[in-house]
Amino acid sequence: MSVILAALTSDPNLLRCELHRLQGQVLLHGDSRANAVGVGSYAQDEVLLRRYASSEALTLDALAPPHESDALLFHAGQLPVGLSLEENTQPFRSRRWLFAHQGDGQGLEPLRAALMDALPDHLRRQVRGGTAGELLFATFLKNLRELGRTEDPRLEAEVAGRVLSDTAREVARASAQAGVLRTPALNLVATNGTLLAATRLGELPVFFTRLEGAAECELCEVTPSTPDTQPAVSAHRRRHTVVVASHLKRPAGWVELAQGHTLAVGPDLQLHELTGT
């Protein structure tokens, strides 16, 4: 099963510190060996993607971008033979949006034609790879476009969450119309660098937590004895980060997102759990 890890932080300078704090809590490896690994992050007005052919040597510290970033989205999975790493590795990107999914991609194949037919021409042309994830992303963008909010910098987290939830419901409807006996279990995650949304369709678990500020950081050599007059102390105390993860080492402090629920997080880092997927 593929692995997803996403983070949205209040202090882009401390994202690497927050990832370091997750050691001992999250896993970057699933049950099978990943051959397509992607990490997306933000550098001011740019969206940067890094891709790897394996996750075996990756650590949480290595995931941290070499620049400040408000958000990060990581995905590790297994591509079928013949699919290119460049076109098919998640997360997928469109302008400022990053998107990843976890679940049964093969179970979506009977729905591919129906979902493609529902896309406008320009989004249909963007689906160049052979994976279900890119098609799900295009469906999400279509639903955003219908609201006229695709590039809206003031897009509310709850609205983005509802659109992501609508995308999952569209998969469920297409599944029922195609006569598929069991709707594919999916977790969808999207971010535009200022908000983060995750939705769960089915029994596949996904978790979230909020990391609170603390006046300690191994990477920055901030300890309880560091004088309060040091700028790093107040910065680390003020930081907050919301993390979504599919694979945990230690569940303490984490909340499992309920089936049919969506998590929406805006720039204020407040958690909004929406129902109705």
Side-chain angles (χ1 to χ4, degrees):
M1 185 59 66
S2 63
V3 178
I4 283 178
L5 176 69
L8 182 69
T9 186
S10 63
D11 191 332
N13 291 298
L14 300 182
L15 178 60
R16 69 186 188 101
C17 305
E18 299 296 76
L19 291 172
H20 187 76
R21 289 173 73 184
L22 294 173
Q23 294 189 56
Q25 298 187 51
V26 302
L27 290 166
L28 300 181
H29 310 277
D31 299 330
S32 57
R33 182 180 179 275
N35 63 4
V37 180
V39 188
S41 59
Y42 295 82
Q44 296 180 350
D45 293 332
E46 292 187 69
V47 183
L48 303 181
L49 286 173
R50 291 173 285 160
R51 294 187 173 98
Y52 307 89
S54 171
S55 64
E56 290 184 1
L58 281 181
T59 64
L60 284 160
D61 287 341
L63 289 192
H67 47 78
E68 63 180 41
S69 180
D70 295 285
L72 176 139
L73 181 53
F74 164 86
H75 181 274
Q78 196 164 33
L79 285 180
V81 175
L83 294 185
S84 72
L85 187 73
E86 185 66 26
E87 287 189 344
N88 296 282
T89 300
Q90 300 187 60
F92 296 111
R93 176 205 169 188
S94 178
R95 302 201 180 189
R96 287 195 61 82
W97 283 103
L98 291 171
F99 177 95
H101 97 282
Q102 181 198 30
D104 181 13
Q106 294 301 316
L108 290 169
E109 283 307 309
L111 319 179
R112 188 175 186 88
L115 293 175
M116 283 288 284
D117 288 345
L119 296 176
D121 289 342
H122 78 283
L123 286 175
R124 195 178 300 132
R125 289 193 295 269
Q126 286 184 27
V127 182
R128 294 185 292 269
T131 66
E134 195 174 15
L135 181 54
L136 292 171
F137 186 25
T139 303
F140 169 71
L141 293 173
K142 177 202 70 173
N143 293 334
L144 266 181
R145 180 177 179 268
E146 289 174 352
L147 294 178
R149 309 293 301 274
T150 309
E151 299 300 323
D152 188 351
R154 298 171 296 178
L155 178 66
E156 301 88 348
E158 294 93 331
V159 173
R162 289 294 180 197
V163 172
L164 195 65
S165 176
D166 289 344
T167 302
R169 280 201 298 271
E170 195 163 341
V171 170
R173 286 195 301 270
S175 180
Q177 291 169 1
V180 177
L181 296 179
R182 188 175 183 182
T183 301
L186 296 172
N187 294 322
L188 311 179
V189 181
T191 179
N192 64 359
T194 59
L195 59 83
L196 174 66
T199 195
R200 176 180 176 182
L201 176 68
E203 71 277 4
L204 195 62
V206 67
F207 309 87
F208 64 91
T209 192
R210 177 178 153 119
L211 302 177
E212 303 295 341
E216 295 182 48
C217 178
E218 183 179 13
L219 289 181
C220 298
E221 299 182 348
V222 176
T223 69
S225 62
T226 303
D228 289 349
T229 53
Q230 294 292 324
V233 174
S234 59
H236 282 77
R237 282 178 175 163
R238 291 193 307 267
R239 65 183 173 176
H240 300 287
T241 301
V242 174
V243 184
V244 173
S246 61
H247 288 64
L248 300 180
K249 292 181 182 178
R250 179 174 58 81
W254 291 78
V255 178
E256 182 175 344
L257 186 63
Q259 293 188 42
H261 284 217
T262 297
L263 176 71
V265 186
D268 59 1
L269 276 295
Q270 296 302 308
L271 303 172
H272 303 278
E273 195 167 347
L274 314 174
T275 59
T277 300

